[in-house]
Amino acid sequence: MALPVTIRERIEHCLVEGPGQTASDLAVILFDDGRATSRLQFPLAVLLSRGRIRREGDGGFRDPHRYYLDDESASAELFRVNEAAQLL
């Protein structure tokens, strides 16, 4: 099993490791820049539309959107990716 390479795969991987991440949290993890949330808008929208993740929160300053894996098959798939990564 290959390690996650697309931004969408990397987002899912981050949500396995730490569910409930905001877009800013993910931008820091993926790009070392919490202001790079615009780079995540399209990948997050694709994952949401495909039912791979779910979003909670109003999206405001006091209640930002938080993202979670929604599909159990995605969680199982990413668990296998994590297992393979540990073998390397």
Side-chain angles (χ1 to χ4, degrees), residues 11-77:
I11 289 170
E12 287 181 305
H13 181 78
C14 290
L15 295 177
V16 166
E17 298 294 319
Q21 302 288 331
T22 65
S24 292
D25 296 335
L26 292 168
V28 169
I29 294 167
L30 298 173
F31 309 118
D32 288 329
D33 183 0
R35 298 168 296 173
T37 58
S38 62
R39 293 176 66 184
L40 297 173
Q41 288 177 352
F42 183 74
L44 286 170
V46 169
L47 290 169
L48 284 165
S49 70
R50 292 182 180 173
R52 303 286 290 185
I53 62 174
R54 64 183 162 78
R55 180 176 66 193
E56 295 180 2
D58 292 332
F61 180 74
R62 293 179 191 249
D63 189 19
H65 289 139
R66 294 194 175 274
Y67 297 92
Y68 301 84
L69 282 180
D70 196 39
D71 183 19
E72 288 186 24
S73 65
S75 183
E77 177 183 323

Side-chain angles (χ1 to χ4, degrees), residues 1-4 13 75-86:
M1 180 73 54
L3 295 174
H13 181 78
S75 183
E77 177 183 323
L78 290 169
F79 178 76
R80 287 192 298 274
V81 169
N82 290 337
E83 290 291 310
Q86 290 177 358

